Amino acid sequence: MNETAFDEPLFASLKPGLTSFCYRMLGSMDDADDAVQETSIRVWQSWSTFRQDASFKTWVYRIASNLCLDKLRQSKRRALPVDLFDPAVAIVEPRDTRPNSAWIWPSPDFGGNPEDRLVRRDTLQLCFIALLQTLPPRQRAVLILKDVFEWSSKQIAETLAMSPAAVNSALQRARDTMDRAQLRSDELSSMDVQPEQELLSRYVEAFERFDIAALVALFHEEGCMSMPPFEMWIRGKEDLSAFYSLTRWHCEGSRFVPITVNGGYPALAQYMPDKEGSGLVPWGIHVIETKENQILHVQNFIHTPLFSRFGLPARMDR
């Protein structure tokens, strides 16, 4: 074999699943895309060393896993605001932020690979991604490959250069850690599996009219809102009402575009008035989690590069 014989269609067939693996490992689509791109380069460069009698898929995932493990050794754990801080005591405009590398961000779909559609969608929920980030990197890789992708211990051992016994031990420790983890985001996540369309429509209508009373009425008594990259998050109807009143000048006149995130979960892309023009510009991606058909948690991801990643326009007419 030689480098010129590199089978690009074969690698492309693995790319959706590979991207979803790297996203679960790293908590960021930017990092996942970088890892997959670097994997493709290393696969091409090392093509002459690949043995035809070996599993191409296992070989590629070994390269991707090593890249993810290297990235994670050099980075801090990504998280969601509700897992790092207590709710705001004083309701003020949020100011304190953390760098984008500190946060978990939502992802678009990974592609139309039939195999990827079989991967459990619940393991793409943001709370599950947050739970994964609490695991040591190698345990994280073992758990994803076993419990999400349903690989055999033997295949995982070959991929991660471990013995099957070490894989089973790491898997047990990872499951124990996940069971013991008490993240607030897990408590707040998708109690109704996904929001009712009628509730989402009422949220859009109330927000676009900026009817604060109608908006807050949609929330559960313990409902909350977080806004990465801001550290601050709000809990309770009274504080939500105060916060919406405080930020009316910023959000009034906004419009929403429906999208899906993280394996098909419904979400809303918010465009806010352009202060220097007559149009609307990207602001945040709202992921709404509910309980008993009330809003329990709005995660408003304020990161405008997400809009181009989701194929959304750079501006809209009012």
Side-chain angles (χ1 to χ4, degrees), residues 32-45:
D33 280 347
D34 288 347
V36 172
Q37 179 63 24
E38 181 64 25
T39 297
S40 70
I41 293 170
R42 293 194 184 184
V43 167
W44 179 80
Q45 290 173 337

Side-chain angles (χ1 to χ4, degrees), residues 79-232:
L80 298 166
V82 295
D83 293 327
L84 297 179
F85 307 99
D86 289 330
V89 176
I91 304 305
V92 296
E93 288 186 30
R95 289 186 173 83
D96 294 335
T97 64
R98 292 196 172 192
N100 292 333
S101 60
W103 305 113
I104 291 166
W105 299 103
S107 76
D109 291 335
F110 300 111
N113 187 1
E115 178 184 338
D116 193 52
R117 284 199 290 270
L118 297 176
V119 174
R120 288 168 43 204
R121 195 174 77 171
D122 61 318
T123 66
L124 278 172
Q125 289 182 354
L126 290 162
C127 65
F128 187 81
I129 302 298
L131 278 170
L132 286 174
Q133 308 310 301
T134 66
L135 297 175
R138 191 166 291 273
Q139 288 183 28
R140 192 182 313 175
V142 168
L143 185 131
I144 293 168
L145 292 173
K146 184 68 173 179
D147 287 358
V148 178
F149 287 79
E150 299 181 349
W151 285 22
S152 68
S153 295
K154 180 177 182 293
Q155 191 176 8
I156 296 169
E158 292 172 356
T159 300
L160 299 178
M162 302 168 67
S163 68
V167 166
N168 292 332
S169 176
L171 179 65
Q172 187 58 53
R173 293 197 304 274
R175 286 172 175 168
D176 289 345
T177 299
M178 294 278 277
D179 288 342
R180 290 196 309 270
Q182 295 182 328
L183 297 185
R184 206 183 258 120
S185 59
D186 192 32
E187 297 173 10
L188 294 172
S189 68
S190 307
M191 301 294 188
D192 292 333
V193 182
Q194 66 179 36
E196 295 288 341
Q197 185 56 52
E198 187 263 344
L199 178 61
L200 285 179
S201 297
R202 287 163 62 200
Y203 180 83
V204 169
E205 181 183 359
F207 201 107
E208 290 187 347
R209 288 190 290 111
F210 219 74
D211 183 337
I212 294 175
L215 190 56
V216 172
L218 300 176
F219 280 81
H220 188 274
E221 284 299 326
E222 292 297 311
C224 58
M225 176 177 59
S226 56
M227 304 155 285
F230 295 102
E231 298 175 353
M232 175 184 178

Side-chain angles (χ1 to χ4, degrees), residues 19-28 64-65 68-69 72 129 132-133 136-142 144:
T19 304
S20 67
F21 168 76
C22 292
Y23 173 68
R24 289 177 176 89
M25 284 290 292
L26 302 171
S28 157
S65 298
C68 288
L69 294 173
L72 291 168
I129 302 298
L132 286 174
Q133 308 310 301
R138 191 166 291 273
Q139 288 183 28
R140 192 182 313 175
V142 168
I144 293 168

